Amino acid sequence: MVIKQKEFNVKELSYSIRSAIIEDAKALSELRVQIDGETENMDRESGEAYIDPTGFEKIIKTDLESLRNIFLVAEIDNRIVGYSRCEGTNLKRLLHKVEFGVCVLKGFWGYSIGKNLLKESISWADSIGIKKMTLNVLETNYKAIELYKKHGFEIEGILKHDKLLADGRLYSTIVMGRFKEG
């Protein structure tokens, strides 16, 4: 699915959010590795479960053709600095929901890029009749948890001792969902 590009200006930083296109594949492949290495909030360490540009081309093509998926990028001066993705399924019992994920380069935290990717994803989901959005978030990612709560998500469960981080400790994953009535 494709959305119309939107422009944002937060704390004197201008950026746009738009649908990913095939030409973004190489930049997205490199960006994902970089983001995975900047924070332990993601499921992967840098380079794990690597998706090469060809892999991203396939994901983008699928998402552009699917009414149940959307892949958004945040761009500053022709540089992608974050992205989000909603993925649905064609299974009849799960047609009402999509899974959401988002990531932003650490150097661009604090400019509402993640928040605006989330808002655009929610707007898209609501516009096509999606009833439920789900996501997983690391228990220590307090800012993300609060952001999601502010946008209608609630905690649905906890996966205890779900992630082993660099400090050698196990951390839980918070399962959150947003349900739209009507």
Side-chain angles (χ1 to χ4, degrees):
M1 187 89 173
V2 176
I3 66 158
K4 183 178 176 185
Q5 179 170 312
K6 289 195 177 175
E7 304 297 323
F8 299 88
N9 192 322
V10 178
K11 298 179 189 174
E12 300 182 18
L13 180 73
S14 296
Y15 59 91
S16 61
I17 292 179
R18 61 171 174 80
S19 293
I21 57 175
I22 299 296
E23 291 77 12
D24 295 328
K26 183 177 186 296
L28 286 166
S29 179
E30 294 167 359
L31 179 69
R32 184 172 182 257
V33 172
Q34 182 177 348
I35 289 172
D36 287 349
E38 290 182 339
T39 177
E40 291 191 310
N41 292 332
M42 309 308 289
D43 287 343
R44 306 160 304 271
E45 292 188 12
S46 184
E48 286 187 323
Y50 176 71
I51 301 175
D52 65 11
T54 302
F56 266 103
E57 286 177 11
K58 290 177 186 173
I59 293 167
I60 294 165
K61 184 176 186 308
T62 297
D63 292 353
L64 289 171
E65 294 171 356
S66 172
L67 297 177
R68 308 203 42 73
N69 294 4
I70 193 161
F71 196 149
L72 302 177
V73 297
E75 190 174 55
I76 300 171
D77 297 327
N78 296 315
R79 176 185 176 204
I80 297 174
V81 298
Y83 63 90
S84 67
R85 186 164 182 254
C86 288
E87 182 177 21
T89 177
N90 290 321
L91 298 174
K92 289 182 182 179
R93 294 179 181 173
L94 302 176
L95 284 176
H96 67 288
K97 75 176 194 169
V98 294
E99 292 184 30
F100 172 79
V102 63
C103 57
V104 176
L105 281 171
K106 196 170 191 175
F108 295 95
W109 291 2
Y111 294 97
S112 298
I113 294 171
K115 176 173 103 174
N116 286 320
L117 285 164
L118 173 65
K119 287 171 69 174
E120 291 303 311
S121 296
I122 289 171
S123 177
W124 163 80
D126 288 351
S127 76
I128 67 162
I130 296 297
K131 300 293 184 207
K132 184 171 186 176
M133 292 178 72
T134 64
L135 59 87
N136 293 337
V137 60
L138 190 66
E139 69 176 308
T140 56
N141 195 348
Y142 308 111
K143 286 184 179 182
I145 293 167
E146 287 308 308
L147 172 68
Y148 298 138
K149 285 181 177 179
K150 285 180 186 173
H151 288 86
F153 286 81
E154 58 188 72
I155 294 173
E156 294 189 327
I158 299 172
L159 304 174
K160 294 180 181 179
H161 308 295
D162 192 48
K163 303 245 172 48
L164 177 64
L165 299 187
D167 64 5
R169 294 182 49 215
L170 291 166
Y171 291 84
S172 298
T173 297
I174 308 295
V175 179
M176 300 183 78
R178 174 186 178 270
F179 188 76
K180 183 175 187 264
E181 299 289 339

